[in-house]
Amino acid sequence: MPESTVAIKGTKEGLLIALDPSEEWQVITTELASRLDGQSAFFAGARVTIDVSTRPVRKDELSSIKALLERRGMSLWSVASESSTTIDSANALDLRATYNAPQNNSLSDDSTPMFSAEEDGTLGVMIRRTLRSGRTVHSQGHVVVFGDVNPGSEIIAGGDVIVWGRLRGNVHAGANGDTSAIVCALDMTPTQLRIAGFITVSPPDKRRKPKPEIALIRDDQIVVETWQ
Amino acid sequence: MGVNAGVTTSGSRTPAPVKRARVVTITSGKGGVGKTTTTANIGVALAKLNQRVTLIDADIGLRNLDIIMGLENRIVYDLVDVVEGRCKLRQAMIKHKQLPELYLIPSAQTRDKTAVSPADMIQLTNQLRKEMDFIIIDCPAGIERGFRNAIAPADDVLIVTNPEVSAVRDADRIIGLLEAENKGPAKLILNRVKGDMVRKGEMLSAEDVTDILAIKIIGIVPEDDTVVSSSNAGTPLALSENSRAGVAFQNIARRLMGETVPFMPLDDSPNFFKRIARLFASGQ
């Protein structure tokens, strides 16, 4: 039974600890702690990647795992998951996050799969002011900003990003891999624009006239065209 | 925005209201943009307008304001001594050499920002409010404890920035943090502007800066070589009338008091004088 819920493997990059997504979190952490304590001297100093598969892990859960490892002289540096909740938690803790696309034959469906606004209700945020430098907005759904997005700020959305103002910060639409996501703004000069796995920067064109534009993926690249 | 507390309206009602000083914090985020120089000069300019002013150096551990004010050798007690109860508030207030209504509370050089809390700053300024017209706090660079100490008691916040992308970026962050603290809209001082570079499009203009920051400008201070020499000499520019930066600081002080003062033309001196000469020529 222990073998099935917690699997510890050595890899080139350090230890890989895979946690069974179907078992209860409490049981898993207890099991992990006792497994590590059994061979504490062997594991001390190891750099650890945690693979939680489809399980959505909250930030506090992830940080308790991190603390659990640190108490045993190990360091958590990377998280692999099929759940975007887990990926967000990992990002929030400044851990390296690897997103594995969900498997269709996966039995558990408690992960956050591709987001569908119509079916899941309106997931998203509406921000009614200017996002200033240093602000970050994360959303599984869409993000609508009623104001400017200043340089030094960041929007990461599972869905679309709409800016009713000037977009000059960093923006990532379709962050979970949705290549149909779009970004639009009244003035589109982002520091960096990403849609799903594609990335682009604004051309250094100084004397351009602000006009509403939309960015989307066409033929495997980001194109920006007039928004009408 | 009230011009100045204590201005009596027609007909005296009940006892005169207790005079409440305005606490103005001068901050920037980025270091080296001229916060301390601005604090010193605005303080001097306000005192010259017959305001009772106390300057507080909140940059604990990196004491500077006393040097620019030329008061370094008069320090006996400092801000941390007051907060920790080693002296009375009055004892830490150093009176300026020429302006009898201008005081400085220096910061401690040997401690760090954690020696004072935001609550301490509020309490200290509340003690001073009755006796002063303006309390001006020189905020340290950064967005950590020192910043939070300095803005805690603030009624008004002035953000100093230079016409550089990095300084503007930091100012933007500061504005966001102030919004989160529910401090009213901050005002901007654009420091070290070079008129000729702006004209050639090599330097951000006031419009470029407000385009991003979207807050009101309360002062535009031209780059002026005499700023450095006067800071080194401990005699802030605003003491004398004959420098462009000094006049700019005096204008900020007047605007703080509610006056409407037009912004100076941004041309640098040679052109400025040429223009005046042309003006006279055409008049004759």
Side-chain angles (χ1 to χ4, degrees):
Chain A
M1 170 254 205
E3 302 301 320
S4 62
T5 56
V6 176
I8 304 178
K9 275 191 285 191
T11 70
K12 272 206 304 276
E13 295 176 318
L15 277 185
L16 175 70
I17 302 180
L19 304 176
D20 188 334
S22 54
E23 185 58 85
E24 251 184 77
W25 184 249
Q26 189 69 45
V27 178
I28 294 264
T29 51
T30 320
E31 168 67 15
L32 175 63
S34 68
R35 285 282 296 278
L36 295 178
D37 286 337
Q39 288 167 284
S40 56
F42 182 71
F43 292 132
R47 197 167 72 150
V48 177
T49 299
I50 293 269
D51 184 351
V52 296
S53 183
T54 54
R55 179 197 300 276
V57 181
R58 291 194 315 267
K59 189 181 154 196
D60 57 304
E61 292 172 334
L62 195 60
S63 69
S64 74
I65 281 281
K66 186 164 176 268
L68 184 149
L69 292 170
E70 278 163 5
R71 277 198 299 275
R72 288 160 181 82
M74 306 158 78
S75 63
L76 179 61
W77 76 287
S78 167
V79 176
S81 177
E82 293 165 24
S83 154
S84 52
T85 309
T86 310
I87 298 297
D88 285 348
S89 306
N91 285 331
L93 291 173
D94 278 336
L95 298 171
R96 208 188 78 152
T98 311
Y99 183 75
N100 300 325
Q103 319 266 304
N104 287 333
N105 56 2
S106 170
L107 287 176
S108 58
D109 54 1
D110 60 348
S111 64
T112 316
M114 218 59 87
F115 164 73
S116 157
E118 284 86 2
E119 284 169 32
D120 303 343
T122 47
L123 249 175
V125 264
M126 167 86 181
I127 295 153
R128 277 178 158 183
R129 59 190 151 75
T130 290
L131 281 184
R132 296 192 181 271
S133 176
R135 283 283 311 210
T136 307
V137 173
H138 284 265
S139 171
Q140 285 305 315
H142 308 305
V143 174
V144 181
V145 181
F146 204 67
D148 293 346
V149 176
N150 280 1
S153 64
E154 188 176 47
I155 297 174
I156 297 166
D160 303 335
V161 177
I162 297 169
V163 179
W164 194 261
R166 292 172 294 208
L167 171 54
R168 295 190 271 209
N170 278 334
V171 60
H172 192 173
N176 299 335
D178 180 3
T179 52
S180 69
I182 56 154
V183 176
C184 26
L186 296 186
D187 181 14
M188 179 95 76
T189 49
T191 314
Q192 205 181 75
L193 189 151
R194 304 180 202 176
I195 298 176
F198 299 92
I199 185 164
T200 186
V201 294
S202 295
D205 185 5
K206 274 182 194 151
R207 291 281 156 248
R208 56 185 288 282
K209 258 211 165 130
K211 61 170 187 233
E213 286 179 310
I214 177 168
L216 47 95
I217 293 178
R218 187 172 293 151
D219 301 330
D220 277 353
Q221 61 178 15
I222 298 179
V223 293
V224 177
E225 46 197 47
T226 308
W227 180 17
Q228 47 200 354
Chain B
M1 188 179 61
V3 174
N4 207 346
V7 175
T8 42
T9 44
S10 60
S12 56
R13 298 169 224 153
T14 49
V18 179
K19 191 132 179 164
R20 275 176 56 89
R22 262 166 73 194
V23 179
V24 180
T25 297
I26 296 181
T27 183
S28 70
K30 189 175 183 294
V33 296
K35 279 182 298 297
T36 305
T37 311
T38 302
T39 308
N41 278 291
I42 292 179
V44 164
L46 283 169
K48 281 177 70 183
L49 293 166
N50 296 320
Q51 299 294 300
R52 293 170 301 171
V53 182
T54 298
L55 308 179
I56 302 179
D57 188 350
D59 200 349
I60 303 164
L62 296 165
R63 192 171 76 195
N64 278 159
L65 185 54
D66 52 313
I67 301 171
I68 291 175
M69 297 295 293
L71 298 172
E72 189 186 10
N73 55 6
R74 303 192 179 195
I75 297 175
V76 180
Y77 294 112
D78 58 44
L79 179 65
V80 176
D81 291 322
V82 179
V83 167
E84 294 182 350
R86 275 189 295 277
C87 71
K88 291 204 189 77
L89 181 55
R90 270 276 159 198
Q91 292 175 291
M93 291 166 67
I94 306 167
K95 192 184 269 196
H96 190 259
K97 287 177 267 190
Q98 284 124 294
L99 300 159
E101 296 277 47
L102 177 61
Y103 298 89
L104 167 71
I105 301 179
S107 86
Q109 181 69 313
T110 53
R111 302 288 292 275
D112 64 41
K113 311 293 190 262
T114 55
V116 173
S117 74
D120 291 331
M121 291 298 287
I122 293 172
Q123 206 203 344
L124 188 137
T125 48
N126 281 346
Q127 276 184 62
L128 279 170
R129 276 181 198 265
K130 284 175 249 96
E131 305 163 37
M132 293 290 146
D133 298 307
F134 282 94
I135 299 164
I136 304 184
I137 302 176
D138 182 21
C139 177
I143 52 174
E144 296 83 20
R145 178 68 171 268
F147 167 74
R148 282 186 288 120
N149 284 343
I151 63 157
D155 301 317
D156 294 278
V157 179
L158 304 186
I159 297 174
V160 183
T161 192
N162 294 347
E164 290 168 22
V165 175
S166 57
V168 171
R169 186 72 54 90
D170 290 359
D172 193 42
R173 177 97 163 99
I174 291 289
I175 297 167
L177 293 171
L178 290 169
E179 282 170 356
E181 297 266 341
N182 283 324
K183 291 283 171 191
K187 295 195 187 73
L188 192 71
I189 296 174
L190 196 55
N191 196 16
R192 291 205 192 138
V193 181
K194 291 186 180 174
D196 53 337
M197 282 183 75
V198 172
R199 227 177 5 258
K200 281 186 261 170
E202 291 164 358
M203 183 178 259
L204 295 178
S205 69
E207 290 73 37
D208 294 334
V209 176
T210 45
D211 191 40
I212 291 180
L213 299 181
I215 61 171
K216 261 202 179 135
I217 291 195
I218 194 172
I220 300 175
V221 183
E223 174 86 328
D224 192 328
D225 293 341
T226 50
V227 170
V228 177
S229 53
S230 64
S231 290
N232 289 342
T235 51
L237 274 181
L239 276 172
S240 64
E241 306 280 337
N242 46 22
S243 75
R244 284 169 50 70
V247 172
F249 285 122
Q250 285 167 11
N251 287 348
I252 295 172
R254 288 163 62 193
R255 290 186 195 110
L256 268 178
M257 291 179 65
E259 260 185 72
T260 311
V261 188
F263 287 97
M264 308 192 291
L266 259 182
D267 297 56
D268 47 336
S269 333
N271 291 317
F272 178 68
F273 286 123
K274 232 184 274 169
R275 220 160 56 167
I276 298 229
R278 222 180 295 135
L279 213 73
F280 277 110
S282 66
Q284 279 165 357

